[in-house]
Amino acid sequence: MSTAVRLHRDIPAPPDKVYRAWLDPDLLRRWLAPGGLEVARAEVEPRVGGRYRIWHSDAGTGVGGFDCEIVELEQDRRIVWRWGFVGPQRTEGPTFDSLLTVTLDGKPDGGTALSLVHERLDALAAAMPQAADGVAPGWESALDKLAEVAA
């Protein structure tokens, strides 16, 4: 059985703005952190094979984040990452290699229908079930913030 998170969200902004919000470090700092966490730092190389790194903090203390690679870019339409979860030191603890796909479709009202599929979470679920249980609520929370930032 494969563990995956599938979410759909209507965002009141055009696909080009939503696409940019996934790739612009200044915008990422405003939304790509679940719950009360903050993005302390974001690094993006917006190209296929490019690094995509997010550092999270909680009240100023580093709590880990993501270390990823962009594997597919389709301008204003689709981004695919090899997505890794990392601990606070970024050098110790497992990195769980999952796959994140975000697809953006323009809507007649000028907004965007966003589809997020985060799959290959089996290793994370086996090693850290509590972390795996937080993936869906974490994305729900982050997408709420994304909708505000993109609008």
Side-chain angles (χ1 to χ4, degrees):
M1 179 185 141
S2 180
T3 307
V5 170
R6 297 180 195 314
L7 299 172
H8 298 278
R9 184 70 56 99
D10 288 333
I11 298 189
D16 64 312
K17 279 190 163 185
V18 179
Y19 182 85
R20 193 171 58 108
W22 282 94
L23 297 173
D24 180 327
D26 292 330
L27 294 174
L28 284 167
R29 280 193 276 280
R30 295 173 48 197
W31 73 268
L32 190 50
L37 297 181
E38 295 181 347
V39 175
R41 185 168 149 201
E43 291 179 1
V44 177
E45 296 172 343
R47 60 177 175 76
V48 171
R51 298 289 299 243
Y52 192 95
R53 302 174 80 194
I54 304 293
W55 285 258
H56 286 149
S57 66
D58 187 3
T61 302
V63 294
F66 311 121
D67 200 339
C68 314
E69 177 188 8
I70 298 172
V71 295
E72 186 180 325
L73 279 175
E74 187 180 335
Q75 180 77 39
D76 302 337
R77 171 90 180 102
R78 178 178 159 97
I79 309 172
V80 181
W81 297 261
R82 188 180 54 77
W83 196 268
F85 298 87
V86 294
Q89 305 308 315
R90 303 188 90 81
T91 56
E92 57 188 58
T95 297
F96 295 97
D97 194 12
S98 58
L99 190 71
L100 177 69
T101 302
V102 172
T103 305
L104 310 171
D105 289 308
K107 296 177 54 183
D109 65 5
T112 300
L114 180 148
S115 171
L116 179 148
V117 178
H118 199 159
E119 55 196 330
R120 295 192 206 156
L121 295 167
D122 310 44
L124 178 66
M128 300 170 63
Q130 213 170 7
D133 288 345
V135 173
W139 279 122
E140 289 279 1
S141 171
L143 293 178
D144 287 344
K145 295 176 189 179
L146 169 60
E148 291 176 22
V149 168

